[in-house]
Amino acid sequence: MQDNKKFMLEAIKLAGENVEHNHGGPFGAVIVKEGKIIGKGGNKVTVTNDPTAHAEIVAIREASKNLGTFDLSGCEIYTSCEPCPMCLGAIYWARIGKLYYAATKEDAAKAEFDDSFIYAEFAKPKTERKLQSVQMLREEAVKVFEKWISKEDKIQY
Amino acid sequence: MQDNKKFMLEAIKLAGENVEHNHGGPFGAVIVKEGKIIGKGGNKVTVTNDPTAHAEIVAIREASKNLGTFDLSGCEIYTSCEPCPMCLGAIYWARIGKLYYAATKEDAAKAEFDDSFIYAEFAKPKTERKLQSVQMLREEAVKVFEKWISKEDKIQY
């Protein structure tokens, strides 16, 4: 069997196990580096009471821990469904180079996981979003950035 | 002092402490429910080797743990800087109702934290993104969604 088919079937298997064991939504993800799985996970939102514990985030956190770095350059992610905006953002921050996905956002929406609302919110100016946004104390926060900029021993990422 | 000013100063203080202790980027966040802080955190990317450990995610995870639920409806988030796409997505999934922020994305970009690249990628069709996307095995994954849809004891979120 082709390797990438094998990895995707593993992600889908994790999604299925999640449904059986009631650990969270029907989603699974696997991170691969140089042909080896270095992190994987199912959605753990309900079992851990963590709204950020989507399968991709769980897998990224495990892969980073296993490799001892926040930089997953050279890795691929296999996810049983197209990533939501949170997970797509996480994939970029982790510098993962390639995304394989199986089901589409539309398939997920049929199962009542609809992130099109969030994607639509992103495209709006802040003032038109459902999430109210209020700016305050900007100058105080900018001082912290200035401290960061002038800090010589900072660890950049 | 106005309560919301106090909460934002706490978020900014966490950002400043993060710079001092070299725990991660110059960012802090606080979650408030009914006038009380129920979760907070600084950016912990470099100290924990977790690319998803932005201040908002750290604070959301702590608040959810403390409340014992993945649903932070009725909560507010105070963040020292406008959220990146990953964190904005997490705020929506957590159902946080109101966002207070201090510094802007442009201020963060000056300190070399530039998420405008990610926001721009989101706006593009998948085929034009820098992140290569490949679809495969959709039918296998859809079977898992069908299992979820017909499952009677599922925990929805």
Side-chain angles (χ1 to χ4, degrees), chain A residues 69-71 95 148-157, chain B residues 22-26 43 45-47 49 109-113:
Chain A
T69 172
F70 49 81
D71 182 352
R95 302 174 204 164
W148 171 265
I149 291 167
S150 64
K151 187 178 169 73
E152 291 188 357
D153 65 338
K154 62 178 171 266
I155 304 166
Q156 284 178 303
Y157 63 92
Chain B
N22 248 339
H23 281 172
N43 175 298
V45 170
T46 53
V47 76
N49 280 323
K110 279 188 207 150
E112 294 184 47
F113 294 96

Side-chain angles (χ1 to χ4, degrees), chain A residues 61 92 107 121 126 138, chain B residues 61 82 92 107 121 138:
Chain A
R61 298 183 81 222
Y92 277 105
D107 296 325
E121 286 279 290
K126 272 195 291 284
R138 178 181 168 209
Chain B
R61 299 183 79 222
E82 269 191 277
Y92 278 104
D107 296 325
E121 287 278 291
R138 178 183 167 208

